[in-house]
Amino acid sequence: MGEADAGTPSFEMTWSSTTSSGYCSQEDSDSELEQYFTARTSLARRPRRDQDEPVEWETPDLSQAEVEQKIKEYNSQINSNLFMSLNKDGSYTGFIKVQLKLVRPVSVPSSKKPPSLQDARRGTGRGTAVRRRTSFYLPKDAVKHLHVLSRTRAREVIEALLRKFLVVDDPRKFALFERAERHGQVYLRKLSDDEQPLQLRLLAGPSEKALSFVLKENDSGEVNWDAFSMPELHNFLRILQREEEEHLRQILQKYSYCRQKIQEALHACPLG
């Protein structure tokens, strides 16, 4: 890949998953809609299996000689052709692998047929007006390799992934995490928008246990309602109402059952 124009990061992406995705239009029936949304998964923080604790990765300022040495060490340790390359201006290019772990559906422009991974690679549908949206699940645990610059920021990586899949959701709904395994435990840390993933990759080395990248929903504990569209907000209200009605029905059923058992016990007791 040639050097990108100043201020315009260049991305290349290889596709490591061909798993098909389930689609559902937001204008579909209510029963189909509930297959893709629940208020608990969309509005509440989900319990995490991983330990979401801060993992401090030092990002020292390296001289060009130190960067060159680290790139040589990095390239000598990998078993593929995903090498890093030093540029004349002191920057460097290389590959980062991002695993997508999204539990909610994403929105893409509605079309006669759902966009395939091949469509996303070709950029089919870009520039078209978004009048309707289709919600679908991205392939579970899909892995993407991106060819990026050392100055490419985490926010630009997220935006590039969304563009490749034609996702029209607000990028603020997503976050890039670094993942590390230590003593049998898994730790996650959310990257800030301005952190540079390729620098983290170089400093940590090629080991996926030492460092890997994961794209997840940006669950900060507070819901950013401005990031949702009007149809999504209406859907949430409908789902909340249904969950409230279902919860009330279960409570009434429970007390009705208890009342029945108490009455049966009273009738079974001998008088006197």
Side-chain angles (χ1 to χ4, degrees), residues 210-267:
L211 174 68
S212 60
F213 296 106
V214 182
L215 181 70
K216 300 179 68 176
E217 282 85 3
N218 188 14
D219 290 331
S220 61
E222 295 183 359
V223 179
N224 182 12
W225 298 112
D226 293 336
F228 292 95
S229 65
M230 290 298 293
E232 288 175 322
L233 293 173
H234 284 299
N235 286 337
F236 288 148
L237 288 175
R238 291 164 56 195
I239 294 164
L240 284 172
Q241 181 179 356
R242 291 181 186 179
E243 289 193 352
E244 180 183 358
E245 293 172 353
E246 175 61 21
H247 188 57
L248 179 60
R249 186 191 67 79
Q250 292 176 1
I251 292 176
L252 293 174
Q253 185 178 24
K254 174 183 176 181
Y255 280 93
S256 176
Y257 176 80
C258 290
R259 186 181 299 107
Q260 178 184 349
K261 290 299 181 181
I262 292 172
Q263 291 175 346
E264 289 176 357
L266 288 173
H267 288 304

Side-chain angles (χ1 to χ4, degrees), residues 22-37 105-111 114 131-137 231 235 238:
Y23 288 77
C24 175
S25 171
Q26 291 187 353
E27 298 183 8
D28 288 344
S29 66
D30 295 341
S31 60
E32 292 177 323
L33 180 66
E34 287 186 313
Q35 297 176 15
Y36 293 86
F37 292 97
V106 296
S107 298
V108 299
S110 180
S111 59
R131 294 192 179 93
R132 292 183 52 201
R133 292 184 178 185
T134 298
S135 297
F136 78 105
Y137 284 104
N235 286 337
R238 291 164 56 195

Side-chain angles (χ1 to χ4, degrees), residues 107-109 115 119-120 123-126 161-168:
S107 298
V108 299
D119 292 333
T124 304
R126 291 182 182 177
L161 286 168
L162 299 183
R163 284 198 303 270
K164 290 295 183 179
F165 277 111
L166 308 181
V167 175
V168 295

Side-chain angles (χ1 to χ4, degrees), residues 6-266:
T8 305
S10 176
F11 298 91
E12 296 176 3
M13 187 172 291
T14 58
W15 306 89
S16 305
S17 172
T18 56
T19 309
S20 61
S21 302
Y23 288 77
C24 175
S25 171
Q26 291 187 353
E27 298 183 8
D28 288 344
S29 66
D30 295 341
S31 60
E32 292 177 323
L33 180 66
E34 287 186 313
Q35 297 176 15
Y36 293 86
F37 292 97
T38 65
R40 291 186 182 92
T41 58
S42 297
L43 303 182
R45 296 190 69 180
R46 296 171 58 88
R48 291 173 176 166
R49 295 180 182 177
D50 298 339
Q51 299 291 323
D52 190 3
E53 297 180 5
V55 179
E56 302 254 345
W57 292 101
E58 295 183 1
T59 54
D61 292 330
L62 303 178
S63 66
Q64 186 165 355
E66 290 173 325
V67 170
E68 185 175 1
Q69 179 60 32
K70 280 200 168 289
I71 290 176
K72 288 180 180 179
E73 293 174 358
Y74 182 94
N75 290 340
S76 67
Q77 296 175 43
I78 62 175
N79 298 319
S80 64
N81 60 348
L82 304 180
F83 299 107
M84 291 195 188
S85 301
L86 184 63
N87 300 322
K88 294 180 179 179
D89 61 359
S91 65
Y92 49 96
T93 59
F95 291 86
I96 60 170
K97 184 170 73 172
V98 181
Q99 185 178 25
L100 280 69
K101 283 197 170 186
L102 302 178
V103 297
R104 305 174 198 150
V106 296
S107 298
V108 299
S110 180
S111 59
K112 294 181 180 179
K113 64 177 182 178
S116 64
L117 291 179
Q118 288 74 21
D119 292 333
R121 292 178 65 181
R122 293 192 297 266
T124 304
R126 291 182 182 177
T128 58
V130 181
R131 294 192 179 93
R132 292 183 52 201
R133 292 184 178 185
T134 298
S135 297
F136 78 105
Y137 284 104
L138 286 175
K140 185 178 180 180
D141 290 343
V143 174
K144 304 293 174 272
H145 289 86
L146 283 76
H147 194 209
V148 298
L149 296 167
S150 55
R151 57 177 174 264
T152 300
R153 300 177 300 159
R155 177 54 51 188
E156 294 171 313
V157 169
I158 295 172
E159 292 171 352
L161 286 168
L162 299 183
R163 284 198 303 270
K164 290 295 183 179
F165 277 111
L166 308 181
V167 175
V168 295
D169 291 314
D170 193 311
R172 292 176 296 174
K173 292 184 181 180
F174 307 92
L176 192 64
F177 288 78
E178 63 176 14
R179 179 182 185 274
E181 296 182 26
R182 291 181 178 178
H183 310 295
Q185 295 289 328
V186 175
Y187 300 91
L188 290 175
R189 182 181 73 88
K190 184 169 71 172
L191 300 184
S192 67
D193 289 348
D194 293 330
E195 287 190 75
Q196 298 164 323
L198 191 61
Q199 289 189 11
L200 297 174
R201 177 80 279 163
L202 178 63
L203 292 169
S207 171
E208 291 294 318
K209 289 187 176 181
L211 174 68
S212 60
F213 296 106
V214 182
L215 181 70
K216 300 179 68 176
E217 282 85 3
N218 188 14
D219 290 331
S220 61
E222 295 183 359
V223 179
N224 182 12
W225 298 112
D226 293 336
F228 292 95
S229 65
M230 290 298 293
E232 288 175 322
L233 293 173
H234 284 299
N235 286 337
F236 288 148
L237 288 175
R238 291 164 56 195
I239 294 164
L240 284 172
Q241 181 179 356
R242 291 181 186 179
E243 289 193 352
E244 180 183 358
E245 293 172 353
E246 175 61 21
H247 188 57
L248 179 60
R249 186 191 67 79
Q250 292 176 1
I251 292 176
L252 293 174
Q253 185 178 24
K254 174 183 176 181
Y255 280 93
S256 176
Y257 176 80
C258 290
R259 186 181 299 107
Q260 178 184 349
K261 290 299 181 181
I262 292 172
Q263 291 175 346
E264 289 176 357
L266 288 173

